[in-house]
Amino acid sequence: MQLRAVEMGEGRPLVLLHGLFGQAQNFSAVQKTLAANGRRVIALDLRNHGQSPHDAVMDYPAMAADVAETLDALLGDQPVDLLGHSMGGKVAMTLALSRSARVARLVVADIAPVDYPPAFRPYAAAMQAIPLHDGLTRREADAALAEAVPNPGVRGFLLQGLRFDPPGWRIGLDAIAAGLPAIEAAPPFAAGARFDGPVLALGGEKSDYIRDETRPVFREYFPAVRFGTVKGAGHWLHAEQPEGFVAAVEMFLK
């Protein structure tokens, strides 16, 4: 499928892929800064997210194929610099390994090509349990998530996908929830696959998504990988420390 794209700026293309339950606009401030520095920055809504189409299939090969189809339509065969955060990082790695000519340089933000525990399943279940009745208010929806999602900032992030008039999910919530086992797992890279271009694995200082034991896994598929850290950031490093995030990305891309 072709995905919704939000574009800013002119110059060498840089493509941004968001994480689970996110959307292109999560990169808004970062995208503006990067575009102001002489780049054509394209943020995509992945399938079942934002304003992109919905589909029952929710796995990394399908999501990477969507990105490839969208970039083919927008750019022809022009290679791009590709940045993906969390789930979007796994999509980006899948695309780089399956269509290496499409990707010039790769930034993987706070994720590794490994299995992760099912931390988001309670979130999805709580979202599905919100009563979508006429007159539903944001306060009521927020209260319905509070037990499963104690952090108010995370609740606000999740509720971006909910509309209130009429009440319903903009995102493909049921497909996302059903696809969580595939999303949590390591992407199914082809045997012997490798991407020899420049790669930056950029973690948050307060996050444990990229650990020392994941570095050999990165090097197996991405032999030129370099590792960096955004000081003071957790998992949502581009939102928590946007200046440090942009500085690290621009230093690598230059």
Side-chain angles (χ1 to χ4, degrees), residues 82 84 105-110 197-203 210 218 224-229 245 248-253:
L82 183 61
R105 291 174 290 189
L106 176 65
V107 180
V108 181
D110 213 57
V199 178
L200 174 65
L202 186 62
I210 299 178
F218 269 108
V225 65
R226 293 154 52 187
F227 296 91
T229 302
F245 179 78
V249 169
E250 289 195 321
M251 183 179 297
F252 169 72
L253 294 178

Side-chain angles (χ1 to χ4, degrees), residues 96-135:
L97 290 170
S98 60
R99 286 192 57 180
S100 58
R102 161 55 70 201
V103 180
R105 291 174 290 189
L106 176 65
V107 180
V108 181
D110 213 57
I111 200 72
V114 298
D115 297 336
Y116 285 90
F120 290 96
R121 296 188 197 187
Y123 292 9
M127 294 164 74
Q128 289 175 305
I130 293 176
L132 300 177
H133 60 78
D134 289 343

